[in-house]
Amino acid sequence: MSDETFDEVTSLRTRLEELRSEHRDLDEAIARLSQAPGDDELMMRRLKKRKLALKDRIAAIEHLLTPDERA
């Protein structure tokens, strides 16, 4: 593996951990918001939409980091 490839993989793994952390934080925020009196539906929808977008990015990076299987 070349240094450039190693750096790219390391960068992707770092980004993946950042996205997973943000995803967990959104999970907690959504849980707190759902328990609060006077739920803010607009904020709840925005948080859930952001969480879904993060899930998609996480899946895309995981796919990039998964080695191809030989047929």
Side-chain angles (χ1 to χ4, degrees), residues 1 3 11 24 32 35 40 43-44 46 48 53 60 62 65 69 71:
M1 182 182 309
D3 286 343
S11 178
R24 283 189 301 271
R32 283 192 307 271
Q35 295 174 354
D40 186 349
M43 179 61 77
M44 182 73 79
R46 286 179 178 166
K48 286 182 177 183
E62 287 174 339
L65 291 173
E69 293 183 21

Side-chain angles (χ1 to χ4, degrees), residues 28-40:
E28 293 171 10
I30 289 168
R32 283 192 307 271
L33 190 58
S34 67
Q35 295 174 354
D39 293 333
D40 186 349

Side-chain angles (χ1 to χ4, degrees), residues 1 10 13-14 25 28 35 37 42-43 53 61 68 70:
M1 182 182 309
T10 302
R13 288 176 197 238
T14 301
D25 292 346
E28 293 171 10
Q35 295 174 354
L42 179 59
M43 179 61 77
I61 292 174
D68 292 334
R70 294 186 181 205

Side-chain angles (χ1 to χ4, degrees), residues 35-66:
Q35 295 174 354
D39 293 333
D40 186 349
E41 279 301 313
L42 179 59
M43 179 61 77
M44 182 73 79
R45 283 196 310 258
R46 286 179 178 166
L47 291 176
K48 286 182 177 183
K49 186 175 181 178
R50 174 73 179 148
K51 184 179 167 194
L52 185 58
L54 286 173
K55 183 178 176 183
D56 290 343
R57 283 193 198 158
I58 289 168
I61 292 174
E62 287 174 339
H63 179 73
L64 288 172
L65 291 173
T66 304

